[in-house]
PDB file of all heavy atoms in Angstrom:
ATOM      1  N   PRO A 103      -6.836  27.407 -12.063  1.00 95.00           N
ATOM      2  CA  PRO A 103      -5.840  26.499 -12.782  1.00 95.00           C
ATOM      3  C   PRO A 103      -6.180  24.959 -12.564  1.00 95.00           C
ATOM      4  O   PRO A 103      -5.963  24.217 -13.476  1.00 95.00           O
ATOM      5  CB  PRO A 103      -4.493  26.834 -12.191  1.00 95.00           C
ATOM      6  CG  PRO A 103      -4.736  27.985 -11.329  1.00 95.00           C
ATOM      7  CD  PRO A 103      -6.154  28.204 -11.169  1.00 95.00           C
ATOM      8  N   LEU A 104      -6.597  24.722 -11.464  1.00 94.00           N
ATOM      9  CA  LEU A 104      -7.014  23.199 -11.104  1.00 94.00           C
ATOM     10  C   LEU A 104      -8.138  22.761 -11.985  1.00 94.00           C
ATOM     11  O   LEU A 104      -8.146  21.675 -12.491  1.00 94.00           O
ATOM     12  CB  LEU A 104      -7.321  23.020  -9.696  1.00 94.00           C
ATOM     13  CG  LEU A 104      -6.205  23.131  -8.683  1.00 94.00           C
ATOM     14  CD1 LEU A 104      -6.679  23.099  -7.146  1.00 94.00           C
ATOM     15  CD2 LEU A 104      -5.120  22.050  -8.873  1.00 94.00           C
ATOM     16  N   LEU A 105      -9.191  23.690 -12.229  1.00 95.00           N
ATOM     17  CA  LEU A 105     -10.298  23.303 -13.058  1.00 95.00           C
ATOM     18  C   LEU A 105      -9.886  23.124 -14.470  1.00 95.00           C
ATOM     19  O   LEU A 105     -10.275  22.124 -15.159  1.00 95.00           O
ATOM     20  CB  LEU A 105     -11.412  24.381 -12.905  1.00 95.00           C
ATOM     21  CG  LEU A 105     -11.938  24.587 -11.542  1.00 95.00           C
ATOM     22  CD1 LEU A 105     -12.848  25.763 -11.464  1.00 95.00           C
ATOM     23  CD2 LEU A 105     -12.652  23.421 -11.046  1.00 95.00           C
ATOM     24  N   VAL A 106      -9.047  24.131 -15.017  1.00 96.00           N
ATOM     25  CA  VAL A 106      -8.669  23.986 -16.412  1.00 96.00           C
ATOM     26  C   VAL A 106      -7.773  22.750 -16.607  1.00 96.00           C
ATOM     27  O   VAL A 106      -7.998  22.016 -17.616  1.00 96.00           O
ATOM     28  CB  VAL A 106      -7.934  25.253 -16.813  1.00 96.00           C
ATOM     29  CG1 VAL A 106      -7.332  25.123 -18.308  1.00 96.00           C
ATOM     30  CG2 VAL A 106      -8.871  26.485 -16.694  1.00 96.00           C
ATOM     31  N   THR A 107      -6.869  22.511 -15.720  1.00 95.00           N
ATOM     32  CA  THR A 107      -6.026  21.367 -15.798  1.00 95.00           C
ATOM     33  C   THR A 107      -6.761  20.067 -15.662  1.00 95.00           C
ATOM     34  O   THR A 107      -6.584  19.137 -16.430  1.00 95.00           O
ATOM     35  CB  THR A 107      -4.917  21.459 -14.716  1.00 95.00           C
ATOM     36  OG1 THR A 107      -4.180  22.616 -14.949  1.00 95.00           O
ATOM     37  CG2 THR A 107      -3.981  20.243 -14.784  1.00 95.00           C
ATOM     38  N   GLY A 108      -7.845  20.059 -14.766  1.00 93.00           N
ATOM     39  CA  GLY A 108      -8.686  18.925 -14.686  1.00 93.00           C
ATOM     40  C   GLY A 108      -9.418  18.523 -15.919  1.00 93.00           C
ATOM     41  O   GLY A 108      -9.578  17.413 -16.226  1.00 93.00           O
ATOM     42  N   MET A 109      -9.780  19.462 -16.692  1.00 96.00           N
ATOM     43  CA  MET A 109     -10.568  19.269 -17.965  1.00 96.00           C
ATOM     44  C   MET A 109      -9.647  18.959 -19.077  1.00 96.00           C
ATOM     45  O   MET A 109     -10.126  18.480 -20.081  1.00 96.00           O
ATOM     46  CB  MET A 109     -11.443  20.456 -18.326  1.00 96.00           C
ATOM     47  CG  MET A 109     -12.727  20.650 -17.362  1.00 96.00           C
ATOM     48  SD  MET A 109     -13.769  19.137 -17.343  1.00 96.00           S
ATOM     49  CE  MET A 109     -14.441  19.177 -18.932  1.00 96.00           C
ATOM     50  N   ALA A 110      -8.444  19.250 -18.987  1.00 96.00           N
ATOM     51  CA  ALA A 110      -7.480  19.154 -20.048  1.00 96.00           C
ATOM     52  C   ALA A 110      -7.321  17.681 -20.550  1.00 96.00           C
ATOM     53  O   ALA A 110      -7.237  17.445 -21.714  1.00 96.00           O
ATOM     54  CB  ALA A 110      -6.095  19.659 -19.682  1.00 96.00           C
ATOM     55  N   GLY A 111      -7.386  16.638 -19.632  1.00 94.00           N
ATOM     56  CA  GLY A 111      -7.226  15.401 -20.043  1.00 94.00           C
ATOM     57  C   GLY A 111      -8.379  14.907 -20.948  1.00 94.00           C
ATOM     58  O   GLY A 111      -8.162  14.291 -22.000  1.00 94.00           O
ATOM     59  N   LEU A 112      -9.607  15.204 -20.541  1.00 94.00           N
ATOM     60  CA  LEU A 112     -10.742  14.970 -21.423  1.00 94.00           C
ATOM     61  C   LEU A 112     -10.618  15.570 -22.717  1.00 94.00           C
ATOM     62  O   LEU A 112     -10.900  14.895 -23.804  1.00 94.00           O
ATOM     63  CB  LEU A 112     -12.124  15.459 -20.734  1.00 94.00           C
ATOM     64  CG  LEU A 112     -12.548  14.770 -19.454  1.00 94.00           C
ATOM     65  CD1 LEU A 112     -13.539  15.574 -18.662  1.00 94.00           C
ATOM     66  CD2 LEU A 112     -13.028  13.391 -19.819  1.00 94.00           C
ATOM     67  N   VAL A 113     -10.267  16.866 -22.757  1.00 95.00           N
ATOM     68  CA  VAL A 113     -10.191  17.620 -23.975  1.00 95.00           C
ATOM     69  C   VAL A 113      -9.129  16.991 -24.948  1.00 95.00           C
ATOM     70  O   VAL A 113      -9.359  16.783 -26.098  1.00 95.00           O
ATOM     71  CB  VAL A 113     -10.017  19.109 -23.714  1.00 95.00           C
ATOM     72  CG1 VAL A 113      -9.717  19.838 -24.981  1.00 95.00           C
ATOM     73  CG2 VAL A 113     -11.199  19.712 -23.016  1.00 95.00           C
ATOM     74  N   GLY A 114      -7.882  16.788 -24.365  1.00 95.00           N
ATOM     75  CA  GLY A 114      -6.833  16.240 -25.191  1.00 95.00           C
ATOM     76  C   GLY A 114      -7.192  14.849 -25.652  1.00 95.00           C
ATOM     77  O   GLY A 114      -6.810  14.600 -26.872  1.00 95.00           O
ATOM     78  N   GLU A 115      -7.867  14.066 -24.953  1.00 93.00           N
ATOM     79  CA  GLU A 115      -8.330  12.766 -25.530  1.00 93.00           C
ATOM     80  C   GLU A 115      -9.393  12.912 -26.616  1.00 93.00           C
ATOM     81  O   GLU A 115      -9.334  12.284 -27.616  1.00 93.00           O
ATOM     82  CB  GLU A 115      -8.820  11.910 -24.301  1.00 93.00           C
ATOM     83  CG  GLU A 115      -9.031  10.450 -24.635  1.00 93.00           C
ATOM     84  CD  GLU A 115      -9.487   9.667 -23.411  1.00 93.00           C
ATOM     85  OE1 GLU A 115      -9.374  10.133 -22.242  1.00 93.00           O
ATOM     86  OE2 GLU A 115     -10.073   8.621 -23.641  1.00 93.00           O
ATOM     87  N   TYR A 116     -10.311  13.820 -26.354  1.00 92.00           N
ATOM     88  CA  TYR A 116     -11.433  14.001 -27.303  1.00 92.00           C
ATOM     89  C   TYR A 116     -10.870  14.605 -28.663  1.00 92.00           C
ATOM     90  O   TYR A 116     -11.287  14.139 -29.761  1.00 92.00           O
ATOM     91  CB  TYR A 116     -12.476  15.026 -26.733  1.00 92.00           C
ATOM     92  CG  TYR A 116     -13.607  15.247 -27.703  1.00 92.00           C
ATOM     93  CD1 TYR A 116     -14.651  14.355 -27.758  1.00 92.00           C
ATOM     94  CD2 TYR A 116     -13.571  16.292 -28.525  1.00 92.00           C
ATOM     95  CE1 TYR A 116     -15.678  14.534 -28.625  1.00 92.00           C
ATOM     96  CE2 TYR A 116     -14.668  16.496 -29.413  1.00 92.00           C
ATOM     97  CZ  TYR A 116     -15.685  15.650 -29.475  1.00 92.00           C
ATOM     98  OH  TYR A 116     -16.701  15.786 -30.329  1.00 92.00           O
TER      99      TYR A 116
END
Side-chain angles (χ1 to χ4, degrees):
L104 292 170
L105 297 174
V106 175
T107 302
M109 287 304 290
L112 291 165
V113 171
E115 193 177 340
Y116 182 83

